[in-house]
Every structure is written in C-alpha cells, then in structure tokens.
Amino acid sequence: MTAVPAFLVAAEIHLKPGALDPQGQAVGAGLRALGHTEVEDVRVGKHVRLRVRAADADAARAAGERMCRQLLANPVLETYAVEVRPAPDGPADDGTGPP
Amino acid sequence: MTAVPAFLVAAEIHLKPGALDPQGQAVGAGLRALGHTEVEDVRVGKHVRLRVRAADADAARAAGERMCRQLLANPVLETYAVEVRPAPDGPADDGTGPP
C-alpha cells in the first residue's frame, strides 16, 4: 500500500510513414490470401502497456514519453504515441482492453 | 476513386493476463536499469493498423475482428481489441497517431 497512485500507460510504436514495413506487407499478403481483399494497407507496430506509479496523470505521461525515447522506440525510425489512464488494482494487463 | 469508403482499423493484440510475457519482463528490467523504478509491470503486444474498404464502420470492425481471429492473433494465448475510425486519404499509417 502506498500513497502514490498507479496509472496504466500505453505506448503505441510504429515505423515512420516513409519507412518500409516488410512485416506489414507480409501480413497484408496473408490477409488477402485468406480472402480479405478489402485490405489496402497494413502496418505492424508494438503496443506496450506499463503500470507506473506517478504523482498524477501528467507525470505518468511524461514518464511514458521518456521511456519511449530512451528504450521502447527507435526515434530515428519510429514514432510513438502515449496514452494514460488511472490503473485499477492488478497488473498492467488487466484484461479490460486498451487504455 | 470508389464509392466504398475507407476506414482505419487498429488491432491491439496482447498475451492473455495469465500468460507469461518474457519480452515484457525484459523490457521492465531494462527500464528499471535505466532508473525507471516507478515501473511496476510491463506487457508487450502488437499493434496492427489496417486501411480497409467497407460499407460502414460496423462492417469495418467486423472485418477487423475476423482478421484477428483468422490471422493476426492467436486466440488460445492472446486477446485482441479492435478500434475503427474513418480513414483520411493515404496509407494505413497516416502519421497522425493512434485511431
């Protein structure tokens, strides 16, 4: 038990729009082979969920953006977007879907 | 030019809460080694952005969920969540951040 509240920080990390995404191309080819001809373009990125202690949501967001710059994303090739919400009790993956 | 509108479908795919996530543990250890002692738990998943032609948003969502079940996610080990929004002109990764 602690006085510092917990937040769920979600970081979405994708290759920059101009960067070639071979994994996305492969997934797109696989989907079209399965009959999903409605698919025009696919990009595959990472989604990182973190459970973080922080004074408030702004501090949690700042921590998440720092972590993206330092470790989670490659700033030369990738873009990232961070979302924050208050954490329920439990681990980062609480099974309730995306923050 | 076509009469069928385009949608951006985003699929977030994570290991189920009970499943061991070694990649998340490694990322958590890396973040703590960098001084991020505020991090309590990390889960690493996939984030797939698709540009899809569909009659309406409900059809686009249904297609996205079908693609998750058929190819994008492993339903035994993983959960998925699909979000849909109207697509601007351009590829699935339009550089404007998460749908």
Side-chain angles (χ1 to χ4, degrees), chain A:
Chain A
M1 191 133 161
T2 167
V4 181
F7 294 88
L8 289 186
V9 177
E12 226 183 271
I13 299 156
H14 276 268
L15 287 166
K16 288 183 180 174
L20 189 67
D21 180 358
Q23 193 182 357
Q25 292 178 343
V27 168
L31 289 170
R32 282 183 285 266
L34 286 171
H36 288 286
T37 53
E38 72 274 30
V39 174
E40 293 191 337
D41 189 45
V42 182
R43 307 284 288 181
V44 176
K46 284 177 288 187
H47 192 270
V48 185
R49 288 184 187 161
L50 306 117
R51 186 181 162 93
V52 168
R53 294 278 171 187
D56 54 34
D58 285 346
R61 174 182 303 277
E65 291 181 346
R66 216 157 41 235
M67 290 186 261
C68 283
R69 285 194 301 273
Q70 290 183 329
L71 183 78
L72 302 178
N74 173 349
V76 176
L77 280 175
E78 293 173 322
T79 61
Y80 58 84
V82 172
E83 285 182 30
V84 176
R85 64 171 183 180
D89 291 335
D93 195 339
D94 62 355
T96 61

Side-chain angles (χ1 to χ4, degrees), chain B residues 34-67:
Chain B
L34 286 172
H36 288 285
T37 53
E38 72 273 29
V39 175
E40 292 190 338
D41 189 44
V42 182
R43 308 283 289 182
V44 176
K46 283 177 288 187
H47 192 270
V48 185
R49 288 184 187 162
L50 306 116
R51 186 181 162 93
V52 169
R53 294 279 171 188
D56 55 33
D58 285 346
R61 175 183 303 277
E65 292 181 347
R66 215 158 42 236
M67 289 186 261

